[in-house]
Amino acid sequence: MAEETRCSPWKYFELILSYWFFSHQNWFVNSSFYKSCLQFYGLCISFLFLLRTVFFFFYCKYFSFSITEALWSFLIGAMVDSSIVCVCFVSCLLLSSVAFLFFRKFYPVLLNLSVITMASVFFINLIDIFYFAQFGTRLNQFATEVPSNFSTVISMIYHEFPVIRALLAFAVIVFVFVYITKKIFKIPRAAETVPFSFSLKWSFITIISFAALSFLYYDGPFWKLTSFSGSGFINQLSSNGVYSFVESLKQQRLYKQTLSIFPEIPDADAIDFVRKISIHKNEIP
Protein backbone atom coordinates (compact mmCIF):
# COMPACT_ATOMS: atom_id res chain seq x y z
CA MET A 1 0.00 0.00 0.00
CA ALA A 2 1.43 3.32 -1.09
CA GLU A 3 2.33 5.72 1.69
CA GLU A 4 -0.08 8.64 1.94
CA THR A 5 1.57 12.03 1.29
CA ARG A 6 0.55 14.99 3.40
CA CYS A 7 0.92 18.68 2.66
CA SER A 8 1.57 21.30 5.28
CA PRO A 9 -0.94 24.18 5.68
CA TRP A 10 1.59 26.53 4.04
CA LYS A 11 1.83 24.16 1.04
CA TYR A 12 -1.95 24.22 0.62
CA PHE A 13 -1.91 28.01 0.92
CA GLU A 14 0.86 28.23 -1.68
CA LEU A 15 -0.95 25.90 -4.08
CA ILE A 16 -4.19 27.91 -3.82
CA LEU A 17 -2.48 31.24 -4.36
CA SER A 18 -0.32 29.81 -7.14
CA TYR A 19 -3.43 28.67 -8.98
CA TRP A 20 -5.13 32.03 -8.38
CA PHE A 21 -2.19 34.16 -9.46
CA PHE A 22 -0.74 32.09 -12.29
CA SER A 23 -3.88 30.80 -14.03
CA HIS A 24 -3.30 33.40 -16.75
CA GLN A 25 0.51 33.69 -16.63
CA ASN A 26 0.78 37.45 -16.31
CA TRP A 27 2.22 37.87 -12.83
CA PHE A 28 6.01 38.06 -12.94
CA VAL A 29 7.54 39.45 -9.76
CA ASN A 30 11.15 38.38 -10.03
CA SER A 31 14.64 39.84 -9.94
CA SER A 32 14.10 41.45 -13.34
CA PHE A 33 10.98 43.20 -12.08
CA TYR A 34 12.86 44.33 -8.97
CA LYS A 35 15.57 45.90 -11.12
CA SER A 36 12.89 47.62 -13.19
CA CYS A 37 11.38 49.11 -10.02
CA LEU A 38 14.76 50.47 -8.95
CA GLN A 39 15.31 51.93 -12.42
CA PHE A 40 11.91 53.59 -12.27
CA TYR A 41 12.78 54.99 -8.83
CA GLY A 42 16.01 56.44 -10.21
CA LEU A 43 14.13 57.94 -13.16
CA CYS A 44 11.63 59.71 -10.90
CA ILE A 45 14.37 61.04 -8.63
CA SER A 46 16.25 62.34 -11.68
CA PHE A 47 13.23 64.26 -12.97
CA LEU A 48 12.54 65.78 -9.55
CA PHE A 49 16.21 66.73 -9.29
CA LEU A 50 15.89 68.45 -12.67
CA LEU A 51 12.85 70.43 -11.48
CA ARG A 52 14.65 71.40 -8.27
CA THR A 53 17.62 72.57 -10.33
CA VAL A 54 15.31 74.74 -12.46
CA PHE A 55 13.79 76.13 -9.25
CA PHE A 56 17.29 76.94 -7.98
CA PHE A 57 18.50 78.77 -11.10
CA PHE A 58 15.18 80.59 -11.43
CA TYR A 59 15.63 82.41 -8.08
CA CYS A 60 19.25 82.01 -6.93
CA LYS A 61 20.29 85.46 -8.18
CA TYR A 62 17.72 87.14 -5.93
CA PHE A 63 18.88 85.59 -2.63
CA SER A 64 22.12 85.32 -0.69
CA PHE A 65 23.29 81.94 0.63
CA SER A 66 26.41 79.82 0.92
CA ILE A 67 27.43 76.94 -1.34
CA THR A 68 27.22 74.60 1.66
CA GLU A 69 23.58 75.60 2.26
CA ALA A 70 22.75 74.97 -1.39
CA LEU A 71 24.37 71.51 -1.31
CA TRP A 72 22.56 70.59 1.92
CA SER A 73 19.32 71.81 0.35
CA PHE A 74 19.71 69.44 -2.60
CA LEU A 75 20.64 66.56 -0.30
CA ILE A 76 17.62 67.08 1.97
CA GLY A 77 15.48 67.59 -1.11
CA ALA A 78 16.60 64.20 -2.42
CA MET A 79 15.43 62.60 0.83
CA VAL A 80 12.02 64.28 0.61
CA ASP A 81 11.71 63.37 -3.08
CA SER A 82 12.67 59.78 -2.29
CA SER A 83 9.91 59.59 0.32
CA ILE A 84 7.31 60.96 -2.11
CA VAL A 85 8.37 58.61 -4.94
CA CYS A 86 8.39 55.52 -2.71
CA VAL A 87 5.00 56.20 -1.15
CA CYS A 88 3.47 56.87 -4.57
CA PHE A 89 5.03 53.84 -6.24
CA VAL A 90 4.22 51.37 -3.44
CA SER A 91 0.62 52.65 -3.51
CA CYS A 92 0.51 52.03 -7.28
CA LEU A 93 2.06 48.59 -6.77
CA LEU A 94 -0.55 47.58 -4.18
CA LEU A 95 -3.44 48.93 -6.26
CA SER A 96 -2.10 47.06 -9.31
CA SER A 97 -1.98 43.86 -7.29
CA VAL A 98 -5.63 44.33 -6.28
CA ALA A 99 -6.55 45.04 -9.91
CA PHE A 100 -4.82 41.81 -10.92
CA LEU A 101 -7.01 39.79 -8.59
CA PHE A 102 -10.15 41.06 -10.33
CA PHE A 103 -9.11 41.85 -13.91
CA ARG A 104 -6.03 39.64 -14.45
CA LYS A 105 -3.94 42.65 -15.48
CA PHE A 106 -0.90 43.77 -13.58
CA TYR A 107 1.73 45.47 -15.75
CA PRO A 108 -0.66 47.68 -17.79
CA VAL A 109 -2.35 48.89 -14.59
CA LEU A 110 0.98 49.45 -12.83
CA LEU A 111 2.36 51.33 -15.82
CA ASN A 112 -0.67 53.61 -16.18
CA LEU A 113 -1.03 54.29 -12.46
CA SER A 114 2.68 55.02 -12.04
CA VAL A 115 2.77 57.38 -15.02
CA ILE A 116 -0.36 59.30 -13.96
CA THR A 117 0.73 59.55 -10.33
CA MET A 118 4.29 60.67 -11.03
CA ALA A 119 3.19 63.05 -13.80
CA SER A 120 0.96 64.70 -11.19
CA VAL A 121 3.94 64.97 -8.82
CA PHE A 122 6.03 66.56 -11.58
CA PHE A 123 3.24 68.99 -12.41
CA ILE A 124 2.91 70.12 -8.78
CA ASN A 125 6.66 70.68 -8.53
CA LEU A 126 6.57 72.64 -11.78
CA ILE A 127 3.76 74.83 -10.41
CA ASP A 128 5.93 75.39 -7.32
CA ILE A 129 8.38 77.43 -9.36
CA PHE A 130 5.72 80.05 -10.07
CA TYR A 131 3.84 79.62 -6.79
CA PHE A 132 7.00 80.61 -4.92
CA ALA A 133 7.20 83.87 -6.89
CA GLN A 134 3.72 84.83 -5.67
CA PHE A 135 3.67 83.52 -2.10
CA GLY A 136 7.31 82.88 -1.15
CA THR A 137 6.59 79.24 -0.40
CA ARG A 138 5.91 75.97 -2.12
CA LEU A 139 2.37 74.77 -2.72
CA ASN A 140 0.27 74.89 0.46
CA GLN A 141 -3.35 74.88 1.65
CA PHE A 142 -4.08 78.25 0.05
CA ALA A 143 -4.16 76.46 -3.30
CA THR A 144 -7.47 74.91 -2.22
CA GLU A 145 -9.05 78.38 -2.41
CA VAL A 146 -8.45 78.62 -6.16
CA PRO A 147 -11.86 77.14 -7.16
CA SER A 148 -13.69 79.91 -5.27
CA ASN A 149 -11.83 82.57 -7.31
CA PHE A 150 -11.09 80.49 -10.38
CA SER A 151 -11.53 83.09 -13.14
CA THR A 152 -9.52 85.75 -11.29
CA VAL A 153 -6.68 83.37 -10.44
CA ILE A 154 -6.48 81.92 -13.96
CA SER A 155 -6.44 85.41 -15.47
CA MET A 156 -3.66 86.49 -13.10
CA ILE A 157 -1.60 83.37 -13.80
CA TYR A 158 -1.97 83.75 -17.56
CA HIS A 159 -0.84 87.38 -17.57
CA GLU A 160 1.88 87.14 -14.91
CA PHE A 161 3.60 83.85 -15.76
CA PRO A 162 4.82 82.04 -18.91
CA VAL A 163 1.96 79.56 -18.93
CA ILE A 164 2.38 78.37 -22.52
CA ARG A 165 6.09 77.69 -22.13
CA ALA A 166 5.50 75.94 -18.81
CA LEU A 167 2.84 73.67 -20.34
CA LEU A 168 5.09 72.88 -23.29
CA ALA A 169 7.93 72.05 -20.90
CA PHE A 170 5.60 69.81 -18.89
CA ALA A 171 4.46 68.05 -22.09
CA VAL A 172 8.09 67.33 -23.01
CA ILE A 173 8.80 66.04 -19.48
CA VAL A 174 5.80 63.70 -19.57
CA PHE A 175 6.61 62.47 -23.09
CA VAL A 176 10.20 61.60 -22.18
CA PHE A 177 9.11 60.12 -18.85
CA VAL A 178 6.47 57.87 -20.45
CA TYR A 179 8.88 56.76 -23.19
CA ILE A 180 11.58 55.72 -20.71
CA THR A 181 9.06 54.14 -18.31
CA LYS A 182 7.72 51.92 -21.09
CA LYS A 183 11.26 50.82 -21.83
CA ILE A 184 11.81 50.01 -18.17
CA PHE A 185 8.58 48.04 -17.62
CA LYS A 186 8.62 45.73 -20.59
CA ILE A 187 5.87 43.11 -20.29
CA PRO A 188 7.78 39.85 -19.72
CA ARG A 189 7.30 36.71 -21.78
CA ALA A 190 5.39 33.71 -20.43
CA ALA A 191 8.67 31.81 -20.30
CA GLU A 192 9.78 34.14 -17.53
CA THR A 193 7.08 32.90 -15.16
CA VAL A 194 8.56 31.92 -11.82
CA PRO A 195 7.31 29.74 -8.92
CA PHE A 196 4.96 31.50 -6.53
CA SER A 197 7.32 31.24 -3.55
CA PHE A 198 10.08 32.90 -5.61
CA SER A 199 7.68 35.60 -6.77
CA LEU A 200 6.51 36.19 -3.20
CA LYS A 201 10.12 36.60 -2.06
CA TRP A 202 10.83 39.28 -4.64
CA SER A 203 7.57 41.01 -3.77
CA PHE A 204 8.69 41.34 -0.16
CA ILE A 205 12.16 42.49 -1.24
CA THR A 206 10.60 45.19 -3.43
CA ILE A 207 8.31 46.46 -0.67
CA ILE A 208 11.09 46.42 1.96
CA SER A 209 13.53 48.23 -0.35
CA PHE A 210 11.07 51.01 -1.10
CA ALA A 211 10.13 51.24 2.57
CA ALA A 212 13.82 51.78 3.36
CA LEU A 213 14.16 54.42 0.62
CA SER A 214 11.04 56.25 1.85
CA PHE A 215 12.83 57.56 5.00
CA LEU A 216 9.47 57.42 6.80
CA TYR A 217 11.33 55.92 9.77
CA TYR A 218 13.28 59.17 10.14
CA ASP A 219 13.04 60.45 13.72
CA GLY A 220 11.27 63.77 13.25
CA PRO A 221 9.15 65.37 10.54
CA PHE A 222 10.72 66.50 7.30
CA TRP A 223 9.67 70.09 7.88
CA LYS A 224 12.35 70.30 10.58
CA LEU A 225 14.95 69.21 8.04
CA THR A 226 13.65 71.71 5.49
CA SER A 227 13.99 74.59 7.99
CA PHE A 228 17.73 74.32 8.57
CA SER A 229 18.69 77.61 6.94
CA GLY A 230 18.06 81.25 7.70
CA SER A 231 17.20 81.71 4.04
CA GLY A 232 13.58 81.08 3.15
CA PHE A 233 14.58 80.34 -0.43
CA ILE A 234 17.02 77.60 0.60
CA ASN A 235 14.45 76.06 2.94
CA GLN A 236 11.79 75.98 0.21
CA LEU A 237 14.33 74.62 -2.26
CA SER A 238 14.91 71.62 0.01
CA SER A 239 11.20 70.79 0.18
CA ASN A 240 8.78 69.22 -2.31
CA GLY A 241 5.45 70.62 -3.49
CA VAL A 242 3.53 67.44 -2.71
CA TYR A 243 4.96 67.20 0.80
CA SER A 244 4.43 70.90 1.61
CA PHE A 245 0.83 70.74 0.35
CA VAL A 246 -0.06 67.62 2.35
CA GLU A 247 1.75 68.89 5.46
CA SER A 248 0.01 72.30 5.30
CA LEU A 249 -3.39 70.58 5.06
CA LYS A 250 -2.52 68.45 8.08
CA GLN A 251 -1.41 71.51 10.07
CA GLN A 252 -4.59 73.34 9.11
CA ARG A 253 -6.68 70.41 10.35
CA LEU A 254 -4.77 70.32 13.64
CA TYR A 255 -5.20 74.08 14.01
CA LYS A 256 -8.96 73.80 13.60
CA GLN A 257 -9.11 70.93 16.07
CA THR A 258 -7.14 72.98 18.59
CA LEU A 259 -9.46 75.96 18.21
CA SER A 260 -12.50 73.74 18.70
CA ILE A 261 -11.54 73.03 22.33
CA PHE A 262 -11.94 76.69 23.26
CA PRO A 263 -15.52 77.76 24.02
CA GLU A 264 -17.04 80.51 21.92
CA ILE A 265 -18.32 83.58 23.73
CA PRO A 266 -20.66 86.32 22.50
CA ASP A 267 -19.04 89.29 20.76
CA ALA A 268 -20.34 91.73 23.41
CA ASP A 269 -18.66 89.72 26.20
CA ALA A 270 -15.41 89.54 24.21
CA ILE A 271 -15.38 93.33 23.68
CA ASP A 272 -16.17 93.92 27.35
CA PHE A 273 -13.26 91.67 28.36
CA VAL A 274 -10.82 93.48 26.05
CA ARG A 275 -12.06 96.85 27.41
CA LYS A 276 -11.38 95.73 30.98
CA ILE A 277 -7.78 94.68 30.34
CA SER A 278 -6.98 97.59 28.01
CA ILE A 279 -4.82 100.49 29.21
CA HIS A 280 -6.66 103.00 27.06
CA LYS A 281 -10.26 102.01 27.70
CA ASN A 282 -11.69 105.06 25.94
CA GLU A 283 -10.25 103.91 22.60
CA ILE A 284 -12.45 100.81 22.55
CA PRO A 285 -16.04 101.56 21.49
Side-chain angles (χ1 to χ4, degrees), residues 48-63 65 67 70-71 73-74 125 128-130 132-133 138 233-234 236-238:
L48 289 172
F49 175 81
L50 174 63
L51 289 170
R52 178 169 281 102
T53 303
V54 173
F55 187 101
F56 174 76
F57 283 108
F58 212 84
Y59 297 108
C60 64
K61 58 185 177 182
Y62 302 112
F63 299 91
F65 52 87
I67 298 298
L71 293 175
S73 181
F74 273 88
N125 282 273
D128 270 350
I129 298 174
F130 309 107
F132 180 81
R138 285 185 180 263
F233 164 67
I234 289 295
Q236 294 302 317
L237 178 66
S238 65

Side-chain angles (χ1 to χ4, degrees), residues 125-247:
N125 282 273
L126 180 63
I127 290 175
D128 270 350
I129 298 174
F130 309 107
Y131 195 87
F132 180 81
Q134 191 70 20
F135 299 100
T137 180
R138 285 185 180 263
L139 201 69
N140 55 24
Q141 77 276 8
F142 295 119
T144 59
E145 299 177 8
V146 170
S148 58
N149 300 283
F150 186 77
S151 59
T152 303
V153 172
I154 293 299
S155 177
M156 183 272 294
I157 291 175
Y158 182 79
H159 290 93
E160 295 292 332
F161 302 105
V163 176
I164 303 301
R165 282 180 291 173
L167 291 177
L168 288 175
F170 177 69
V172 172
I173 289 173
V174 171
F175 176 81
V176 175
F177 178 72
V178 171
Y179 177 80
I180 300 177
T181 301
K182 285 184 177 180
K183 292 289 185 180
I184 291 174
F185 287 108
K186 292 180 180 178
I187 299 178
R189 299 183 299 273
E192 295 178 346
T193 304
V194 296
F196 174 74
S197 57
F198 191 72
S199 180
L200 188 64
K201 181 188 78 172
W202 281 106
S203 298
F204 279 121
I205 291 175
T206 302
I207 297 296
I208 292 172
S209 297
F210 276 85
L213 290 170
S214 70
F215 295 101
L216 294 179
Y217 48 85
Y218 172 74
D219 185 19
F222 283 135
W223 62 262
K224 288 186 177 180
L225 277 179
T226 58
S227 304
F228 73 98
S229 173
S231 169
F233 164 67
I234 289 295
N235 289 335
Q236 294 302 317
L237 178 66
S238 65
S239 188
N240 180 292
V242 176
Y243 173 76
S244 62
F245 180 69
V246 173
E247 184 67 22

Side-chain angles (χ1 to χ4, degrees), residues 265-274:
I265 60 176
D267 292 343
D269 294 344
I271 294 173
D272 185 59
F273 174 76
V274 173

Side-chain angles (χ1 to χ4, degrees), residues 5-172:
T5 59
R6 294 184 179 181
C7 293
S8 64
W10 166 250
K11 192 65 178 178
Y12 280 119
F13 177 71
E14 181 178 337
L15 289 173
I16 292 171
L17 290 184
S18 296
Y19 173 78
W20 179 258
F21 280 109
F22 291 105
S23 58
H24 284 82
Q25 288 191 353
N26 55 356
W27 178 271
F28 309 89
V29 181
N30 50 26
S31 58
S32 178
F33 173 78
Y34 176 69
K35 292 176 183 177
S36 297
C37 291
L38 292 182
Q39 290 173 350
F40 179 76
Y41 166 82
L43 178 66
C44 296
I45 293 297
S46 299
F47 273 83
L48 289 172
F49 175 81
L50 174 63
L51 289 170
R52 178 169 281 102
T53 303
V54 173
F55 187 101
F56 174 76
F57 283 108
F58 212 84
Y59 297 108
C60 64
K61 58 185 177 182
Y62 302 112
F63 299 91
S64 59
F65 52 87
S66 65
I67 298 298
T68 303
E69 285 181 317
L71 293 175
W72 270 111
S73 181
F74 273 88
L75 178 61
I76 294 172
M79 290 180 60
V80 180
D81 290 344
S82 181
S83 179
I84 297 298
V85 171
C86 290
V87 170
C88 289
F89 182 70
V90 170
S91 299
C92 293
L93 190 62
L94 295 176
L95 288 173
S96 301
S97 303
V98 173
F100 176 80
L101 294 176
F102 294 97
F103 306 109
R104 296 298 179 184
K105 292 182 179 181
F106 178 72
Y107 276 94
V109 176
L110 178 62
L111 179 64
N112 292 328
L113 278 177
S114 300
V115 166
I116 293 172
T117 302
M118 291 313 304
S120 301
V121 172
F122 298 154
F123 184 70
I124 290 174
N125 282 273
L126 180 63
I127 290 175
D128 270 350
I129 298 174
F130 309 107
Y131 195 87
F132 180 81
Q134 191 70 20
F135 299 100
T137 180
R138 285 185 180 263
L139 201 69
N140 55 24
Q141 77 276 8
F142 295 119
T144 59
E145 299 177 8
V146 170
S148 58
N149 300 283
F150 186 77
S151 59
T152 303
V153 172
I154 293 299
S155 177
M156 183 272 294
I157 291 175
Y158 182 79
H159 290 93
E160 295 292 332
F161 302 105
V163 176
I164 303 301
R165 282 180 291 173
L167 291 177
L168 288 175
F170 177 69
V172 172

